[in-house]
Amino acid sequence: MINRIGRTLALSATAHVPHTDVAQKAKDFTTDQEVRWCPGCGDYVILATIRSFLPELGLKRENMMFVSGIGCSSRFPYYLDTYGVHSIHGRAPAIATGLAVTRPDLSVWVVTGDGDALSIGGNHLIHALRRNVNLTILLFNNRIYGLTKGQYSPTSEVGKVTKSTPLGSVDHPFNTLSLALGAEATFAARALDSDRKGLTEVLRAAAAHRGTSFVEIFQDCPIFNDGSFDVLRKEGAEQRLIPLTHGEPIVFGNAGEYCVVRAGFGLKVVETANVDRNEIVVHDAHTDDPDYAYALSRLSDQDLTHTVTGVLRSVVRDTYDDAVRRQNDLARERDPVDEGSLQRLLTGHDTWTV
């Protein structure tokens, strides 16, 4: 759908991707490759969840592309029976951008980790988000470098003792969702690897969004950072997790004893019994106000006392790849060329004879 100034509105992410009439199952997305992660790694359950979810999309597998960088998570293309690229450290968003621009018939996904995406790949990540390229980025955050055997990462907590920080890290970690929203992400969400229902709901929303969908997945590394998210899985987790549902009041706890209210220009957590019901914030993931989603992300802290999950933001904005293709079409209309003529390209306007 194009409005009067030529901008794409309300198209689904897969509007131009061929669908299949054949019912698919998780086994259709399973390759013959042996899955090789450490026993207990959170990647196993994420892989199983994604394999179970992909049939919902009903897309032809040959029109799905998974691009990864370097890291434990980046083995994903080997284990999904779609097309895939195991690419360069930190550069997966750049390669995925090229695919999304040149091949609108592809559903393009990026699988990356906190070290891959937020260290060497930080620049590529923020520019993909800023441009709003039509792709889905899954960032597995285990707060450690797992593949290279346990160095601290850009999301490790202050004081984290690792092989590279034997006296404890002095770096202040990224709030990953705040980073994404600061880069003008049109879709930002978070899920836990162990919460298959919540992760599937987030994946469903991300896959439907046209533009860059950014999904952070908290993922356990049992070898080098075991139990880093246990407080969000075990007894008492309900007091820490702040699940978001569009159109619903933000209330959490075993019996809804905590809620989120406005506090100046931001948000804060208070006891529900101490406020009027109409003071409780009703979650609006589709608001054009970027400050609201950013304030939600700031409720999450590095010690996991409060952790927001679900979709923080999902708004419509023109995508980079749609805009590039429209620009190319306009250029061809203004100066029609025989696209098959390599000779014209070589001896065109910018050549001369000596």
Side-chain angles (χ1 to χ4, degrees), residues 91-105:
R91 273 67 175 182
I95 293 170
T97 294
L99 286 163
V101 170
T102 57
R103 291 288 303 273
D105 61 326

Side-chain angles (χ1 to χ4, degrees), residues 117-260:
L118 298 176
S119 187
I120 191 171
N123 217 29
H124 294 288
L125 175 69
I126 62 173
H127 289 300
L129 295 167
R130 173 180 65 86
R131 289 171 173 148
N132 198 35
V133 186
N134 188 35
L135 51 86
T136 300
I137 299 174
L138 306 180
L139 188 150
F140 299 3
N141 182 4
N142 57 18
R143 302 170 120 186
I144 203 77
Y145 277 98
L147 185 68
T148 52
K149 308 300 185 283
Q151 299 85 3
Y152 84 111
S153 86
T155 57
S156 296
E157 318 91 283
V158 172
K160 185 74 174 180
V161 175
T162 73
K163 291 181 179 179
S164 57
T165 54
L167 299 180
S169 169
V170 296
D171 277 8
H172 187 79
F174 276 128
N175 180 317
T176 311
L177 288 175
S178 294
L179 175 72
L181 292 163
E184 301 291 340
T186 56
F187 183 101
R190 177 189 284 140
L192 284 168
D193 57 0
S194 56
D195 180 11
R196 291 191 64 165
K197 180 176 182 293
L199 176 56
T200 300
E201 290 174 355
V202 165
L203 290 173
R204 189 176 293 125
H209 177 74
R210 190 165 189 83
T212 305
S213 298
F214 178 83
V215 179
E216 178 185 30
I217 305 173
F218 281 164
Q219 173 252 329
D220 192 48
C221 176
I223 304 301
F224 298 108
N225 203 18
D226 191 27
S228 56
F229 299 110
D230 277 0
V231 293
L232 302 180
R233 312 176 200 277
K234 298 183 178 180
E235 184 178 355
E238 297 85 356
Q239 315 301 315
R240 295 172 176 267
L241 288 168
I242 307 176
L244 301 174
T245 302
H246 176 70
E248 296 292 330
I250 306 178
V251 177
F252 65 102
N254 283 317
E257 58 267 39
Y258 299 103
C259 65
V260 174

Side-chain angles (χ1 to χ4, degrees), residues 60-82:
K60 291 186 176 182
R61 287 178 295 144
E62 59 266 35
N63 290 89
M64 303 186 73
M65 173 64 79
F66 280 78
V67 184
S68 66
I70 297 296
C72 298
S73 63
S74 295
R75 302 179 68 85
F76 251 67
Y78 295 104
Y79 307 142
L80 289 172
D81 199 4
T82 64

